[in-house]
Amino acid sequence: MNYPTPAIVGQNAVRPLPRWALLLLCLAYVVPGFVGRGPWKNADVAAFGYMLELANGRTAWLAPQLGGLPPETDGLLPYWLGAWAIQIIPDGLMAPEMAARLPFMALLVLTLAATWYGVYYLARSPGAQPVAFAFGGEARPSDYARAIADGALLALIACLGLAQLSHEATGYLAQLACAALIFFAVATLPYHSVAPALAMVAGMLGLTLAGAPTFAALLGAGSITLVALAPPNPAEPSDRRLRWVVALTVVTVLAAVLAWQLDLWRWRLVDAATEGKEFRSLARLLLWFGWPAWPLAAWTLWRWRKQLFNRRLHRHLWLPLWFALVSVAATFTTQPADRALLVGLPAMAALAAFALPTFRRSMAALIDWFTLLFFSASALTIWVIWFAMQTGIPAQPAANVTKLAPGFTPEFSWLAVAVALAASVAWCRLVWWRAARNRAAIWKSLVLPASGAALGWLLLTTLWLPLLDYARSYAPQARKLSAALGPNPGCVQMLGLSRAQVAALQYHARLRLQPASQTAHCPWLVAGAWQVPSDLVNPAHWTQQAVIGRPTDKNEFILLLRRKASPD
């Protein structure tokens, strides 16, 4: 039995979102956070360390190491991308850390584009179409699909958890982009051949090489099932489905074989007996990380429930639902949880978009008012604290900054202030536009959430960028270590340092750290723990030279030890 669609949409409700406005919003979201900063702790600087080692030819491409340590979580693809960018772009033209981020900026753009086009073709499917009016006037399929795709892109940008992780040069952004490519490929299959084939191969192999072969296998298996069981699409030739099922199976098997050959099958499952997850913290993560997409996605599942459990498998519901379920399941069973949830954000945004044609005016108004108050208050807070950093007024915010970031010296940049002012004025103009007119477009409810998220991220990465760079970088600690070592320190051993610390000290302090051993005779030792094991470091041969901490973390210290002179 076929149930009527809950979407009742007239042609006047699918007026297009101006392309210039959408592109400007994407630009304002993508660029800030990648430009003007150093490598941040922890995953960002650790990944950059491996990229630098590969680019300089100091480690093997198939088995990269950093200070004798193999990568902890990421696959090979992100390191290759960053290393190739560092090699291609001359050091004098661009700093290595900025060069390494360029491929990841492209990956974020690819994620946004794949999400838009994937949802566009899902909205074109027959089961997603709105109710046909008796006397005409319902939304045309292409216009309706464009409006739904605009809403999905706005919902993705509005997700609070996307901001930081999508602006780090790590394998998690590569996983996000590759999962979005797979989503796009399966959504586009009934309409095109070449584009979905290339996207599927790139997505499956890329997701595997990015360190998530299990994700690739599960998404591939779900895609095969969906293509095999979905009802025929009038735009799809009758003999194409079998070919796609075979092709998807072959690509999934090839990705699994590739992971086996490169030894990428490593599960990071949580042992419930020894390290069971705190479900309260997971609930908080799920609550804010996918906001506001997840409540809209839940509304979609409720309003479209008759189509969801119909005998006819509707792709526009089951495809994003499967991707979201795989991501949420990984969040509960693997570490780190937020990185696993990141991969499912495009799918959540797709589900959220299909809630838009079912909204009542009261619900849209509630979203608008909550968003307006939250992001306006957040922007005002950022401006007030920035003004306090520059002038000391108000005194309390300035004192709080001094307490939390001792030694930080505020910097003033006319360019940053100009960009922040322009973004704030644009936000005020947008609020006036939204409040002054009763717009009928179905994407209107997500304009303020997406623009507010972009505004907050842009203000943080312009006005607060020097402070964030100081707080989240190892550079201040590395400079103190370099001063304590003096010029030409020679051989330096390390013991108990994390991958992020090794990468930061080698880059910022220009050191070549060697693993501590009983046979090495370096004059210096940098240790990352208060207790130095005597089997590797004999206290009779070493003296503590300095204890160097990070200014913004009282619990993170490194020890500098100097070898005692041998008795004559």
Side-chain angles (χ1 to χ4, degrees), residues 69-91:
L69 300 172
E72 185 176 16
T73 56
D74 296 340
L76 299 172
L77 179 63
Y79 306 132
W80 291 351
L81 293 176
W84 287 333
I86 294 173
Q87 289 179 336
I88 293 172
I89 301 175
D91 193 4

Side-chain angles (χ1 to χ4, degrees), residues 41-422:
K41 62 170 297 194
N42 286 308
D44 189 54
V45 69
F48 173 66
Y50 285 101
M51 297 170 192
L52 208 56
E53 293 292 287
L54 287 172
N56 293 328
R58 292 193 290 258
T59 187
W61 286 82
L62 292 179
Q65 290 195 343
L66 177 64
L69 300 172
E72 185 176 16
T73 56
D74 296 340
L76 299 172
L77 179 63
Y79 306 132
W80 291 351
L81 293 176
W84 287 333
I86 294 173
Q87 289 179 336
I88 293 172
I89 301 175
D91 193 4
L93 181 63
M94 186 178 294
E97 67 267 23
M98 184 61 218
R101 294 189 198 117
L102 292 180
F104 295 88
M105 293 178 67
L107 288 176
L108 181 54
V109 172
L110 182 63
T111 300
L112 299 179
T115 301
W116 192 95
Y117 281 101
V119 175
Y120 174 81
Y121 284 106
L122 286 181
R124 291 285 299 271
S125 58
Q129 292 300 304
V131 172
F133 297 164
F135 300 100
E138 71 275 5
R140 289 191 293 267
S142 59
D143 295 334
Y144 172 75
R146 186 181 298 110
I148 294 293
D150 290 343
L153 184 56
L154 294 174
L156 180 59
I157 293 176
C159 289
L160 299 180
L162 183 69
Q164 178 188 332
L165 299 184
S166 66
H167 290 84
E168 293 181 347
T170 67
Y172 303 113
L173 178 53
Q175 294 174 12
L176 172 66
C178 292
L181 278 178
I182 299 173
F183 177 80
F184 161 79
V186 181
T188 316
L189 287 181
Y191 303 91
H192 298 283
S193 297
V194 177
L198 294 177
M200 193 68 188
V201 172
M204 290 293 292
L205 298 184
L207 193 56
T208 300
L209 290 173
T214 305
F215 258 122
L218 291 174
L219 297 183
S223 301
I224 294 168
T225 304
L226 184 64
V227 172
L229 299 181
N233 192 312
E236 183 180 17
S238 58
D239 60 340
R240 180 185 290 184
R241 178 180 305 190
L242 179 60
R243 297 201 304 268
W244 275 119
V245 169
V246 173
L248 292 177
T249 304
V250 171
V251 173
T252 303
V253 172
L254 286 177
V257 172
L258 178 64
W260 174 64
Q261 289 293 327
L262 296 178
D263 193 24
L264 297 176
W265 287 105
R266 298 190 184 94
W267 286 274
R268 298 186 298 275
L269 297 178
V270 173
D271 186 352
T274 60
E275 48 178 304
K277 288 195 172 185
E278 175 60 50
F279 285 95
R280 185 175 299 177
S281 63
L282 279 179
R284 287 195 296 267
L285 175 66
L286 292 171
L287 179 65
W288 72 264
F289 196 89
W291 183 273
W294 74 261
L296 299 183
W299 179 258
T300 294
L301 297 179
W302 171 252
R303 293 291 284 125
W304 293 78
R305 62 191 182 279
K306 294 181 179 180
Q307 286 75 21
L308 186 65
F309 298 106
N310 192 0
R311 287 178 297 178
R312 293 173 62 86
L313 201 66
H314 291 287
R315 294 184 317 118
H316 72 287
L317 298 175
W318 279 106
L319 177 61
L321 179 59
W322 174 248
F323 276 59
L325 288 177
V326 170
S327 175
V328 172
T331 302
F332 280 90
T333 57
T334 63
Q335 295 282 10
D338 54 351
R339 267 67 175 177
L341 192 56
L342 177 70
V343 178
L345 288 184
M348 291 185 190
L351 285 174
F354 286 102
L356 298 179
T358 68
F359 269 175
R360 298 172 182 172
R361 183 175 299 178
S362 59
M363 184 176 294
L366 178 63
I367 295 175
D368 284 336
W369 279 109
F370 175 81
T371 304
L372 171 62
L373 295 175
F374 177 79
F375 286 112
S376 296
S378 300
L380 181 61
T381 301
I382 294 172
W383 272 107
V384 168
I385 294 178
W386 173 83
F387 189 78
M389 285 190 291
Q390 300 296 326
T391 65
I393 302 171
Q396 189 58 50
N400 292 339
V401 171
T402 302
K403 180 181 178 180
L404 295 175
F408 170 68
T409 302
E411 301 176 15
F412 184 86
S413 169
W414 282 110
L415 178 61
V417 173
V419 172
L421 278 174

Side-chain angles (χ1 to χ4, degrees), residues 21-43:
L22 191 61
L23 292 175
L24 188 61
L25 176 64
C26 293
L27 180 67
Y29 190 80
V30 170
V31 175
F34 279 117
V35 178
R37 67 170 179 87
W40 285 351
K41 62 170 297 194
N42 286 308

